[in-house]
Amino acid sequence: MENLMKALQSEDEADRLYAVEDIAELGTSDAAIPLIYQLAREGSEAVKNSVVFALCHLDCRQVYEQLFDFFTSTDAFLRNAAVTIFGAGGEEAVAYLTSKLDYQDREVRKLVLDALFEIGSPETLLVIRAGIYDESPNVQITAVEYLGRLNDDEAVDDMISILSETDEPMLKAAILETLSMVGKAENIQDVLDIMMPDGDVMGVDSFYLAPLTDLTAKVGSIEHIIKMLGAIENIELYGAEVVNIIDTACKRMGDIFNYDEILDKTREIIITPEVAAYIRYEAVKCIVHRGTRSVSGPEYQVIARSLLDENNSEMLLPAVRLLARSGTDEDLAEIEELAANTEDNDLRELCEEMKKGIINAI
């Protein structure tokens, strides 16, 4: 070990690299000690990375205090290294880090959560849950986000409780996003009552509208989805949120257009010229999805005619998709005429593709 320690002090980078590897191979209970001190003073990036790799595979319990000191370092590399090394420490690291959850510096408490998330064992969930009650909103947000990424549905009630009490916008948004990952349909009404107590989604701060509608689409029942869609009246301003609800609900539930409220709202989005063209096209993609069976051919045709009557070149592509789903001889002729009269290569290619689909279906 004495020769390795001398090599670790060598001015030659290669000597130091070999020394780190040899010390790591020894795997003794005190092998981490010289490496942790070397990491604090090492100037070579290659050697530092080698030391971090070695410490991740050694028993570091003897140097936990020195490693924890890195959390207060001004050197971002050392702070991140400590997170990584603790993250490789397993149950022993969990026990140590838990004892530091009340550390006075909120940035350090956040780093503790980072390390616990890296460990990612079932035991860490209880500790990270405690973080959602931290006095620092930034620490709370970190805890909430990690619980979502760890799919911890046991923390849902606690998060809803905090949602009802906090005035911190970023924390509220983080809770809504996490609930969209781990919440269940039975939780949605509680969230809606908190965020829109008078039932008026238009009264919700626009900052929360996207995560709230996303949560409803991902977790809510069809009744919640219909209620949310009905409450959004200004489709010119909130068309993107409406289409996101419909698209997300379709992916989750399949064909939802047998509900008149959803079909009507989708049609309204598509045929309203004041709504941005790309949003209207996304609505068309939802309604012409191959899994959609509840929309009739005549309905597709009526919507397509409405778009063609606009004389808006941006809406020709979605109109062609709608005509193809209608699929009558009249629609085929219309598509052929559009292909013959356009100089737009994208439109021509889509017309040819849709024509083949209609002909093959006949």
Side-chain angles (χ1 to χ4, degrees):
M1 176 64 82
E2 184 178 347
N3 290 334
L4 292 177
M5 294 295 292
K6 288 181 180 179
L8 203 57
Q9 308 302 315
S10 171
E11 294 184 1
D12 189 298
E13 180 184 77
D15 288 342
R16 299 200 304 279
L17 281 170
Y18 286 127
V20 171
E21 293 174 4
D22 290 342
I23 291 172
E25 286 182 6
L26 289 176
T28 58
S29 59
D30 58 353
I33 297 174
L35 294 182
I36 200 73
Y37 285 107
Q38 185 64 29
L39 184 59
R41 61 175 175 257
E42 180 59 55
S44 162
E45 184 175 348
V47 177
K48 288 195 291 186
N49 287 331
S50 181
V51 171
V52 172
F53 180 82
L55 289 170
C56 285
H57 294 82
L58 290 171
D59 182 351
C60 291
R61 285 176 290 180
Q62 290 192 57
V63 295
Y64 274 171
E65 287 298 327
Q66 292 88 340
L67 189 59
F68 184 80
D69 286 343
F70 288 169
F71 280 160
T72 60
S73 172
T74 58
D75 186 339
F77 182 93
L78 291 180
R79 296 196 301 272
N80 292 332
V83 169
T84 300
I85 297 165
F86 272 126
E91 292 184 11
E92 295 294 337
V94 173
Y96 178 84
L97 291 168
T98 300
S99 70
K100 300 294 186 178
L101 275 180
D102 59 352
Y103 193 81
Q104 67 271 21
D105 189 324
R106 65 183 181 183
E107 294 303 321
V108 171
R109 296 199 301 275
K110 180 186 176 301
L111 290 170
V112 169
L113 292 182
D114 292 342
L116 288 166
F117 175 73
E118 288 291 321
I119 296 170
S121 66
E123 293 77 17
T124 63
L125 289 178
L126 289 173
V127 187
I128 296 175
R129 279 181 211 158
I132 67 177
Y133 289 102
D134 194 276
E135 63 184 23
S136 165
N138 286 340
V139 177
Q140 289 181 287
I141 290 167
T142 299
V144 166
E145 290 174 347
Y146 284 158
L147 291 174
R149 292 166 66 180
L150 291 170
N151 199 32
D152 181 23
D153 57 4
E154 296 295 323
V156 167
D157 289 343
D158 289 332
M159 284 188 276
I160 292 176
S161 176
I162 292 172
L163 183 68
S164 69
E165 298 169 357
T166 184
D167 293 322
E168 291 290 337
M170 295 303 295
L171 178 56
K172 282 188 174 183
I175 291 173
L176 292 174
E177 184 176 349
T178 293
L179 290 176
S180 72
M181 303 179 201
V182 300
K184 296 181 175 63
E186 56 264 29
N187 307 128
I188 296 301
Q189 193 56 55
D190 290 335
V191 175
L192 295 180
D193 289 343
I194 292 168
M195 299 302 298
M196 36 189 278
D198 57 0
D200 179 16
V201 71
M202 292 295 91
V204 175
D205 189 310
S206 59
F207 181 74
Y208 305 119
L209 189 59
L212 182 61
T213 54
D214 192 52
L215 168 63
T216 304
K218 288 181 177 178
V219 182
S221 65
I222 193 67
E223 290 77 17
H224 288 129
I225 291 167
I226 290 171
K227 182 178 179 180
M228 181 64 73
L229 288 174
I232 300 177
E233 298 175 354
N234 190 340
I235 60 170
E236 292 89 349
L237 186 59
Y238 298 111
E241 284 77 11
V242 170
V243 173
N244 179 62
I245 295 172
I246 295 168
D247 182 45
T248 303
C250 283
K251 290 174 180 175
R252 178 175 151 229
M253 300 176 172
D255 184 1
I256 58 174
F257 297 104
N258 55 317
Y259 292 92
D260 290 340
E261 298 92 339
I262 296 177
L263 179 58
D264 291 346
K265 184 66 76 170
T266 307
R267 184 194 304 110
E268 183 184 3
I269 287 283
I270 295 170
I271 67 174
T272 301
E274 290 76 18
V275 176
Y278 79 93
I279 296 174
R280 299 167 70 190
Y281 197 176
E282 289 302 316
V284 168
K285 289 179 182 178
C286 292
I287 205 172
V288 301
H289 188 275
R290 61 180 177 272
T292 301
R293 294 288 180 265
S294 60
V295 181
S296 68
E299 178 70 39
Y300 284 123
Q301 190 178 69
V302 168
I303 300 174
R305 295 293 170 194
S306 177
L307 297 185
L308 293 172
D309 289 343
E310 282 186 33
N311 292 319
N312 180 352
S313 61
E314 291 185 290
M315 300 312 297
L316 291 178
L317 290 171
V320 168
R321 289 189 178 276
L322 290 161
L323 288 171
R325 279 305 300 265
S326 176
T328 66
D329 291 341
E330 181 184 3
D331 298 319
L332 177 58
E334 184 76 52
I335 291 174
E336 289 176 337
E337 182 179 350
L338 285 169
N341 295 325
T342 186
E343 296 181 0
D344 185 327
N345 289 332
D346 290 336
L347 178 58
R348 187 181 298 111
E349 289 176 7
L350 180 63
C351 287
E352 293 301 324
E353 179 186 341
M354 295 296 103
K355 279 168 52 182
K356 290 177 184 177
I358 294 174
I359 293 170
N360 291 336
I362 295 175

